[in-house]
Amino acid sequence: MCIRDRYQRRVHGGVMARRIISKNPFTGQVHKEFDFISKIELESKIKKAREGFLINSRRGIQERAQKLLQLADRLDSKAKSLGEIITREMGKPITQAIGEVKKSAGHARHYAENLEKYLRPDRIKTEAKYSAVVFEPLGIVYSITPFNFPFWLTMKSSLPILAAGNSVLQRNSHGTPLVGLAVEEIIHASGFDAGEYQNVFTAPDHLEAVLSHKWVGAVDFTGGTNSGRKIAEVAGRYLKKASMELGGSDPCIILGDADPELAAKVAVSSRLQNAGQVCVAAKRFLIEEGIYNQFVDKLLAMIKAYKIGDPMDEQTQMGPMSSEEVFKTIKEQYEKSKNQNGNVIYDGGEVDPTLNQNRLFFTPKVVEVDRNNVTMNEETFGPVFALHKVRTVNEAVQIANDSEYGLGACVITSNERNAEKLSREIESGSVFVNSFVVSDSRLPIGGCKNSGFGRLCGEYGIREFTNIK
């Protein structure tokens, strides 16, 4: 999803300056504003990152693992306070925000416990007396992460980069600068404090300066496909390694033998988590006609029971959209979907006006659509269910693959053997059966087609940021 970042332009002495703004999407309160760093400050950050790389790359695996374990313990102990920062800054329900921090702790623990195995040289038998493949760090890695999971996605990328012996210049979303600073603080407190991890408020026009630098070895980007293309283009110009986890329009294929209640539960959990602002959420629901009506009945009942409200309330399941830009984009897509003959079977109604102070709540919508509808062809970053009835499994697979995206997919069926065969026919980076797609520290995650290239998590995720020598 390509959403314009949240920033403000102001004139200072005749020069147009941009500022990063931290703003509560529920209340509209502005927490703090930050200036972009200057090119001189950027050069200083890169110099410090180089010094941090020389220190981190010479650390033994056990030393790095120990720091990761310290980080995991700190994250667990501070999960509530860190979760509150996430909620205040981007509107995620507090229980989900705390879960995001705890998931990050598990990620740190996973790499600490598996680091030696993941980076162990691979012995290969050849005519030589000794042949092996070793995995060495690349240098400085520029990591750019989005607003929707500001803590987890930053940790998902930066921890394997650090664990491999690299240093990180971390650029969080314009909308979550306080989260970026909180991540930096806790990573420093865990012992990665010699310049190997730095949060940077870089401007878009700093990209070339970073990637052209001789000490920068790679870029990792999670975000919209259009932005990913631009970043990959610059990386290619300077022959820098790039990993791109980009947008998605994930299909959810619901077969006629599926349990309709399970199918509805998976659909609601996937689509309404984080108010639908999830790259790997199911967005296109392809349902065999024999189960269609039962599925819809269950789906609507579950959606109507979903609690929308103050994201700081522990009972709330869905809060507001994270920003005016995200709200505007999903609203425009929904209106376009209706204009393209979409049949709205549930429009979500209105939120209590006393609750909707900042007018950024977008209630769940369910629309029956044809294959040409905008919701079947664009990434929709919000709680809109696009339903399409299919006659056969082959038709479902054909429609699933008839997309520019290939991030994730899920299949709901009672025949798991058939599901395994079906999963091989779907063009995506991952397929989940009888569950929605989630990122797991043990498994590689990423996409194909316009959903990007490269992998994060697991063994593949850490080797992505190494020189395979």
Side-chain angles (χ1 to χ4, degrees):
M1 192 66 182
C2 187
I3 298 292
R4 182 170 61 85
D5 278 322
R6 183 190 304 161
Y7 64 83
Q8 189 176 73
R9 294 179 180 271
R10 291 183 176 177
V11 175
H12 296 283
V15 178
M16 193 68 76
R18 291 174 298 179
R19 311 198 80 197
I20 298 169
I21 301 173
S22 173
K23 183 178 180 181
N24 188 321
F26 178 62
T27 65
Q29 176 190 0
V30 173
H31 301 127
K32 198 168 183 179
E33 300 181 16
F34 301 88
D35 290 320
F36 288 110
I37 61 174
S38 67
K39 289 192 175 180
I40 294 174
E41 290 170 318
L42 175 60
E43 183 63 35
S44 177
K45 293 275 189 182
I46 292 174
K47 182 180 178 181
K48 187 175 181 181
R50 173 65 178 179
E51 294 169 356
F53 162 67
L54 294 176
I55 292 171
N56 196 37
S57 61
R58 291 166 184 164
R59 288 182 177 129
I61 285 178
Q62 289 304 319
E63 184 179 357
R64 277 182 243 147
Q66 189 58 42
K67 293 180 187 300
L68 289 170
L69 288 174
Q70 292 177 31
L71 174 60
D73 290 342
R74 288 177 183 275
L75 288 169
D76 277 334
S77 67
K78 296 179 177 292
K80 187 174 187 298
S81 59
L82 292 170
E84 288 171 351
I85 298 174
I86 297 171
T87 298
R88 286 194 296 267
E89 201 160 44
M90 57 81 59
K92 179 173 296 182
I94 185 63
T95 54
Q96 295 177 30
I98 292 172
E100 184 176 335
V101 178
K102 290 185 175 181
K103 183 170 184 173
S104 300
H107 197 53
R109 211 165 269 119
H110 172 80
Y111 274 110
E113 294 169 353
N114 292 279
L115 191 54
E116 187 171 358
K117 179 178 70 173
Y118 288 166
L119 296 181
R120 181 184 301 140
D122 285 345
R123 292 286 302 272
I124 298 175
K125 188 175 181 180
T126 69
E127 297 82 6
K129 289 183 178 179
Y130 175 83
S131 298
V133 178
V134 296
F135 306 95
E136 297 180 343
L138 295 170
I140 301 170
V141 179
Y142 188 33
S143 174
I144 309 169
T145 50
F147 66 88
N148 53 329
F149 287 86
F151 216 97
W152 162 243
L153 292 178
T154 297
M155 291 292 191
K156 186 175 80 165
S157 298
S158 62
L159 294 191
I161 296 171
L162 281 173
N166 300 290
S167 62
V168 181
L169 286 177
Q170 175 61 46
R171 176 58 160 91
N172 275 64
S173 165
H174 284 37
T176 55
L178 296 181
V179 171
L181 292 173
V183 171
E184 179 183 58
E185 181 181 0
I186 200 163
I187 287 179
H188 286 181
S190 303
F192 292 109
D193 57 357
E196 65 273 64
Y197 185 94
Q198 296 175 81
N199 181 76
V200 289
F201 291 137
T202 47
D205 57 9
H206 287 151
L207 179 65
E208 187 135 4
V210 175
L211 295 186
S212 65
H213 203 287
K214 64 181 180 181
W215 289 336
V216 175
V219 59
D220 175 65
F221 174 70
T222 301
T225 296
N226 290 336
S227 297
R229 279 197 186 96
K230 295 174 184 176
I231 294 168
E233 180 184 354
V234 176
R237 193 179 308 146
Y238 296 101
L239 298 179
K240 299 299 172 77
K241 187 167 187 178
S243 176
M244 301 277 130
E245 186 178 314
L246 308 179
S249 183
D250 290 11
C252 178
I253 298 176
I254 301 172
L255 302 185
D257 62 4
D259 175 351
E261 184 160 357
L262 172 64
K265 188 177 296 184
V266 169
V268 169
S269 298
S270 180
R271 199 69 189 105
L272 297 188
Q273 182 191 21
N274 200 24
Q277 301 165 113
V278 183
C279 296
V280 295
K283 301 178 178 74
R284 299 178 292 145
F285 295 87
L286 310 174
I287 310 117
E288 279 202 292
E289 54 189 2
I291 196 177
Y292 187 86
N293 291 336
Q294 297 175 69
F295 167 74
V296 170
D297 289 345
K298 297 285 186 183
L299 178 70
L300 295 182
M302 291 182 188
I303 292 174
K304 290 173 184 177
Y306 220 71
K307 181 172 173 54
I308 301 172
D310 181 348
M312 290 299 288
D313 183 344
E314 291 185 357
Q315 301 304 310
T316 294
Q317 294 173 286
M318 193 178 103
M321 306 307 291
S322 63
S323 69
E324 293 89 345
E325 292 82 10
V326 179
F327 177 87
K328 180 181 177 183
T329 300
I330 189 61
K331 184 176 181 182
E332 288 175 351
Q333 288 175 315
Y334 174 62
E335 293 301 326
K336 188 175 181 180
S337 175
K338 292 193 293 181
N339 292 335
Q340 293 177 339
N341 299 316
N343 177 34
V344 178
I345 58 176
Y346 183 71
D347 70 358
E350 297 295 326
V351 175
D352 181 349
T354 61
L355 182 68
N356 198 10
Q357 303 172 50
N358 203 31
R359 301 186 182 278
L360 293 183
F361 280 95
F362 190 83
T363 55
K365 320 290 183 187
V366 183
V367 191
E368 294 176 319
V369 298
D370 61 29
R371 292 179 62 172
N372 297 317
N373 195 274
V374 61
T375 56
M376 294 287 280
N377 293 284
E378 293 182 7
E379 181 180 27
T380 50
F381 228 54
V384 175
F385 295 77
L387 309 187
H388 184 80
K389 189 186 299 184
V390 297
R391 293 184 297 276
T392 66
V393 176
N394 288 339
E395 182 187 0
V397 173
Q398 182 188 18
I399 296 173
N401 291 339
D402 186 22
S403 171
E404 65 178 276
Y405 298 106
L407 191 55
C410 61
V411 176
I412 314 298
T413 177
S414 60
N415 187 335
E416 294 184 358
R417 179 177 295 180
N418 186 43
E420 185 174 350
K421 176 181 177 294
L422 185 61
S423 69
R424 300 296 293 269
E425 299 176 13
I426 298 172
E427 298 167 358
S428 65
S430 59
V431 178
F432 280 55
V433 177
N434 293 332
S435 171
F436 55 93
V437 178
V438 294
S439 49
D440 186 316
S441 297
R442 299 164 294 185
L443 297 170
I445 189 165
C448 60
K449 301 195 282 190
N450 282 350
S451 291
F453 50 84
R455 292 294 182 267
L456 294 171
C457 295
E459 180 178 69
Y460 295 93
I462 192 169
R463 291 186 176 183
E464 192 76 42
F465 304 105
T466 63
N467 174 33
I468 302 174
K469 185 165 76 175

